Amino acid sequence: MSERLILLTNDDGLWAPGLALLEQVASRFGRVITVAPDRNRSAISSALSLHDILRLHELGPDRYACDGTPVDCVLVGCKHMLGRSPDWVLSGVNNGFNLGEDVFYSGTVAAAFEGSLQGARAAAFSLHPKGALDLIEPWIEKFLSRWEAMPLPPNRIWSLNFPKGEPKGFQLCAQDTRQYLDLVEKRTDPRGTPYYWIGGDAGPVYARTPGSDGQAALDGWVSVTPLHLDLTSPDVLARREEFSKVFGE
Ligand code: MN
């Protein structure tokens, strides 16, 4: 078998310490090529640069800064930098959780999804905002040494969230729900004109539903959430009779 080809990216930018840790661990498993945004592109989800050109800057052997989004990085990486499809696409380690509905906004998670769309085994890694990278390093290694034994169907990824302290272990989880209080703050600029700021200091409140990633990660476990790109709601899809009554002729 040829050497594993591993594409790395993130949404915090190429200089983020979480990416350096992931590069360090991933390099034990194959040849790592990093294509990451040249600045923080957090909360940009799956945005694609359709109307702007993309530039890559080589910063070292197999390390590139791209002026696009995390998904741009995965596409450019897969299509031009690697020479063949990567075996793994790893994204992170994000500075901050991606739990519950966070996954819809997260560029970290979106990059992993793009990796799965490109046919790679893909995972997103996120850490408690006050978490310690050195504590989670052996857990990333443990996960990567075992995850090939549990292949996922197409269009699925693993999303891992690491707790603040020493992890108690891995826990397979469902997606939690969360709410942001005071999400949009109104302030006034020095000229007296109001402006609005999304994402205040309050932070999210997780429902901590039993069996969910919110509960597991806040209780000190590594939450391992299998995510699916198919967003169809199976419970509503099953209500065909009711649908015909309401929308049928
Ligand atoms: Mn981020």
Side-chain angles (χ1 to χ4, degrees):
M1 192 183 139
S2 61
E3 190 183 21
R4 252 192 224 105
L5 204 47
I6 304 171
L7 177 66
L8 244 65
T9 194
N10 72 351
D11 76 357
D12 293 339
L14 193 89
W15 292 271
L19 180 68
L21 177 80
L22 199 54
E23 281 175 324
Q24 194 189 315
V25 180
S27 63
R28 298 169 201 158
F29 296 90
R31 178 179 168 210
V32 172
I33 297 175
T34 301
V35 184
D38 61 0
R39 55 193 181 283
N40 193 325
R41 307 304 293 261
S42 292
I44 202 155
S45 190
S46 290
L48 275 178
S49 300
L50 293 184
H51 304 288
D52 293 302
I53 62 160
L54 298 170
R55 300 268 190 204
L56 281 187
H57 300 279
E58 190 172 356
L59 298 179
D62 289 338
R63 290 196 100 226
Y64 301 88
C66 172
D67 56 3
T69 66
V71 164
D72 292 334
C73 291
V74 174
L75 283 176
V76 173
C78 287
K79 302 296 182 192
H80 286 281
M81 312 311 295
L82 275 64
R84 69 168 173 93
S85 294
D87 301 293
W88 296 0
V89 171
L90 308 178
S91 179
V93 176
N94 189 60
N95 175 26
F97 279 148
N98 280 305
L99 297 165
E101 292 91 350
D102 291 342
V103 299
F104 288 99
Y105 304 92
S106 167
T108 309
V109 172
F113 268 127
E114 191 57 41
S116 76
L117 285 170
Q118 299 304 317
R121 192 181 303 276
F125 302 85
S126 311
L127 171 63
H128 186 289
K130 292 188 177 133
L133 287 168
D134 53 327
L135 281 184
I136 68 166
E137 189 246 313
W139 291 89
I140 297 175
E141 170 152 11
K142 194 187 272 193
F143 179 80
L144 292 177
S145 66
R146 297 178 184 187
W147 72 325
E148 286 187 337
M150 188 167 171
L152 300 182
N155 297 343
R156 269 79 158 182
I157 64 161
W158 294 112
S159 172
L160 280 72
N161 281 273
F162 295 89
K164 190 176 170 188
E166 175 68 49
K168 296 176 183 172
F170 294 113
Q171 210 170 97
L172 183 65
C173 295
Q175 204 181 300
D176 199 10
T177 60
R178 61 102 177 96
Q179 236 190 323
Y180 277 90
L181 309 171
D182 303 324
L183 179 65
V184 184
E185 212 172 297
K186 183 180 178 184
R187 297 186 188 177
T188 308
D189 74 16
R191 295 194 180 90
T193 311
Y195 65 94
Y196 302 87
W197 194 292
I198 295 178
D201 285 339
V205 177
Y206 297 100
R208 302 182 71 153
T209 313
S212 73
D213 49 20
Q215 189 199 34
L218 290 165
D219 282 351
W221 297 82
V222 181
S223 67
V224 185
T225 315
L227 297 176
H228 191 184
L229 254 187
D230 181 350
L231 299 178
T232 310
S233 172
D235 51 346
V236 177
L237 196 65
R239 290 159 61 184
R240 287 188 188 279
E241 222 172 284
E242 182 187 349
F243 180 87
S244 317
K245 272 188 205 146
V246 174
F247 297 101
E249 293 306 313

